[in-house]
Amino acid sequence: MGHTHALRLALTDPRFPAAAVTGALAVQAEARPALARTLADLAGPAAPAGAVAVDAPATATGALTDRVAAALADGGVAVHRPELGSLVATVPAGPEAAFAARKAVDAVDDEAVRLRTAVKSRDGFFTTFCISPYSRYLARWCARRGLTPNQVTTASLLTALIAAGCAATGTRGGFVAAGALLLFSFVLDCTDGQLARYSLQYSTLGAWLDATFDRAKEYAYYAGLALGAARGGDDVWALALGAMVLQTCRHVVDFSFNEAHVVGTDATANTSPTAALSGRLDSVGWTVWVRRMIVLPIGERWAMIAVLTAVTTPRTVFYVLLIGCAFAATYTTAGRVLRSLSRRATRTDRAAQALAELADSGPLAEVFAKVAPIRKGAWTAPVLALLGAAAVVGAALTQDLDGPYVVVGAALYAVFAGAAVSRPLKGALDWLVPPFFRAAEYGTVLALAARSEVNGALPAAFGLVAAVAYHHYDTVYRIKGGSGAPPRWLVRLTGGHEGRTLVVAVLAAALATRGTDLTLALTALAVALALLVVVESIRFWVSSGAPAVHDEGETA
């Protein structure tokens, strides 16, 4: 006896090898061999095939499922037991217990619980108070009409692309429509996750689509704003590319820090004084919302972009966005550096492997890592990565493009990048290595395209960075889904971050003074990389046998 939703949680959630509540047990295909062994052990050697001895008939079902679930857990199967809260799931032992169970069931509206739990427990202020109060009902409406989370995710993408098209018109009416459509796209973006939680429709493909489309929507909208500004005679492509670079680097900081500080069977919990202070601040209600808002999470950020698009100009949108994201990046990164320096923990092999995969090192870095290994201290890897980034970005910003120094800076960057990853990334601040690499590669492309003053170079550079960023996000979500990084052949074929940076530096030195040749070269490189990484990514995610997951979304 109990609530229907309690049974849903135990029997229809595909994310776990086994799940159970009192009186109900579900076992996915991966754990069914263990189930067969468990049943055989419970039946005993003399029992007929499939027979299981149970307790008294009145409680046979509950006794059997509970005993099998306990035996599975003892045998090493991770049996998920959902948090029921006020929901009821029980096998009453007699009439009095049945009466009490029925009374408890009648006292709780499980549909209200289902709607409430469809909303993420931790979300931004704008999403929590301005979107979720009604988007959960939209999720239920979709569920009752048989719509899937992936269909809603796709609708959100299409809406955002239409918004970008409206922004590209460059008219005030187009900007107003773009802002409204961007907000509606975000409503749908919240709805797809709530639909997945409401109907327990989780999948690996859905998690990838949800995460990847969020990035595609935002960056396509940046491009739409830049196109709209160009129609009005204002060139803001450098600002659009800068916003994409800054936002992508923010995400890499989040991913790298989280992977370096995984709390699990092979990691130690964060017991630093900074973490303790953060925990105390989280106990005060208003500070929680302030801290969530100042990091400019996706809800607040998209709302700000939408409103500014409708009432100001694209240039103003990008100025405010860059200032807000720069402040948020400084705030979050400084706090994480303090946590890392004061954390009393040993970095694990698992964390070091994840950081190495996030680094995206190519053949050149591999060679320099082998021929020039560096004895590393606590600060060595991030310092080397920072020096290499400073060398190449500094050369791109200050040296003549048709001279040798930009290429020399890119070559030095490859050397420093190889030295930085020549030892396992287990230092306190080694999680900064991938963000430094991203900033170096993207920043070099931005600086060279902007300084070349070649017609079309910045839009081509925007496309190139977008293609490379897709590859890096794809790497992140493969790691987060437990599938590991993309295959090494793909990383080597794309050149790695240091190889691509060197290629762009050579192209700029050779073609910057030859009109649109640089634009054509950057466009060809962007198309080639996009085809390579997107095709392989789609092949992997469509055919992936990874366990079902659902990405809950990052605050940034």
Side-chain angles (χ1 to χ4, degrees):
M1 297 182 66
H3 289 101
T4 303
H5 194 54
L7 284 180
R8 288 193 192 97
L9 292 171
L11 302 181
T12 65
D13 193 331
R15 294 175 296 172
F16 310 102
V21 294
T22 300
L25 170 68
V27 179
Q28 302 290 339
E30 61 188 288
R32 284 174 192 163
L35 173 63
R37 292 191 299 270
T38 298
L39 291 174
D41 292 341
L42 289 175
V52 180
V54 298
D55 293 333
T59 58
T61 304
L64 174 58
T65 55
D66 294 346
R67 286 170 58 199
V68 173
L72 281 172
D74 291 341
V77 176
V79 179
H80 173 67
R81 295 186 179 274
E83 292 288 340
L84 296 182
S86 58
L87 296 176
V88 177
T90 184
V91 179
E96 292 184 0
F99 177 78
R102 174 55 57 193
K103 189 175 181 180
V105 169
D106 293 340
V108 175
D109 182 354
D110 70 338
E111 178 62 17
V113 173
R114 190 182 182 191
L115 276 172
R116 187 175 66 251
T117 55
V119 178
K120 282 196 298 185
S121 58
R122 180 181 176 87
D123 221 330
F125 180 89
F126 178 76
T127 305
T128 299
F129 294 103
C130 300
I131 304 297
S132 293
Y134 57 88
S135 61
R136 69 184 75 184
Y137 296 101
L138 179 58
R140 182 172 66 181
W141 184 89
C142 293
R144 290 178 175 176
R145 281 151 185 82
L147 298 177
T148 67
N150 290 353
Q151 290 171 332
V152 178
T153 300
T154 303
S156 176
L157 173 66
L158 293 176
T159 303
L161 293 179
I162 295 172
C166 292
T169 64
T171 64
R172 178 52 52 195
F175 288 147
V176 172
L181 286 170
L182 185 65
L183 284 177
F184 182 59
S185 174
F186 182 67
V187 172
L188 293 176
D189 183 56
C190 295
T191 301
D192 65 0
Q194 291 166 359
L195 174 58
R197 286 181 286 273
Y198 180 85
S199 57
L200 300 177
Q201 291 179 288
Y202 301 104
S203 68
T204 303
L205 177 62
W208 172 69
L209 289 176
D210 184 49
T212 305
F213 283 4
D214 278 354
R215 311 287 84 83
K217 288 180 287 189
E218 184 166 1
Y219 300 153
Y221 192 82
Y222 292 175
L225 284 174
L227 288 170
R231 285 180 177 273
D234 190 11
D235 186 356
V236 297
W237 276 106
L239 296 177
L241 180 51
M244 181 166 65
V245 170
L246 179 55
Q247 189 57 35
T248 304
C249 289
R250 283 186 65 198
H251 283 133
V252 176
V253 168
D254 291 341
F255 299 141
S256 295
F257 179 82
N258 290 335
E259 288 300 325
H261 298 81
V262 172
V263 179
T265 56
D266 60 348
T268 305
N270 193 341
T271 57
S272 69
T274 308
L277 175 60
S278 178
R280 287 195 296 273
L281 289 176
D282 281 343
S283 65
V284 182
W286 66 270
T287 65
V288 174
W289 295 116
V290 170
R291 294 172 69 212
R292 290 184 191 179
M293 292 174 67
I294 62 176
V295 300
L296 210 60
I298 186 170
E300 278 76 355
R301 188 170 68 252
W302 282 26
M304 180 187 74
I305 293 171
V307 172
L308 290 177
T309 299
V311 301
T312 65
T313 64
R315 180 172 290 274
T316 301
V317 173
F318 285 122
Y319 279 150
V320 175
L321 182 63
L322 286 166
I323 293 171
C325 286
F327 174 81
T330 302
Y331 169 77
T332 55
T333 304
R336 287 168 177 174
V337 168
L338 290 175
R339 287 188 181 211
S340 300
L341 291 175
S342 57
R343 188 181 189 218
R344 305 179 186 91
T346 302
R347 271 49 181 189
T348 65
D349 292 337
R350 173 186 171 186
Q353 178 64 27
L355 291 179
E357 293 169 344
L358 289 173
D360 191 36
S361 299
L364 289 177
E366 289 179 343
V367 169
F368 290 123
K370 292 177 181 179
V371 300
I374 303 297
R375 184 175 180 179
K376 291 170 63 175
W379 295 68
T380 307
V383 168
L384 289 171
L386 180 60
L387 289 174
V392 66
V393 175
L397 287 172
T398 61
Q399 302 301 311
D400 293 335
L401 300 189
D402 56 353
Y405 295 108
V406 173
V407 176
V408 170
L412 285 175
Y413 171 63
V415 174
F416 280 112
V421 297
S422 62
R423 293 287 185 270
L425 298 176
K426 292 187 175 182
L429 295 177
D430 283 1
W431 58 270
L432 286 169
V433 171
F436 283 151
F437 287 164
R438 297 296 83 79
E441 180 181 1
Y442 302 159
T444 299
V445 175
L446 169 59
L448 293 177
R451 294 190 62 228
S452 71
E453 298 183 355
V454 173
N455 185 36
L458 276 168
F462 188 97
L464 176 59
V465 172
V468 176
Y470 177 93
H471 167 59
H472 289 144
Y473 281 118
D474 185 54
T475 300
V476 165
Y477 293 117
R478 292 194 197 207
I479 295 172
K480 286 168 68 68
S483 303
R488 283 302 301 167
W489 67 261
L490 179 67
V491 176
R492 292 190 177 101
L493 196 58
T494 58
H497 66 94
E498 79 289 352
R500 292 187 297 269
T501 304
L502 183 58
V503 167
V504 173
V506 171
L507 290 176
L511 304 175
T513 59
R514 294 174 56 182
T516 59
D517 287 354
L518 178 61
T519 298
L520 295 174
L522 292 177
T523 302
L525 182 59
V527 171
L529 285 173
L531 287 175
L532 186 62
V533 299
V534 171
V535 169
E536 201 286 327
S537 173
I538 293 175
R539 180 210 62 79
F540 169 79
W541 287 105
V542 170
S543 62
S544 174
V549 297
H550 185 78
D551 180 43
E552 289 294 319
E554 294 76 38
T555 57

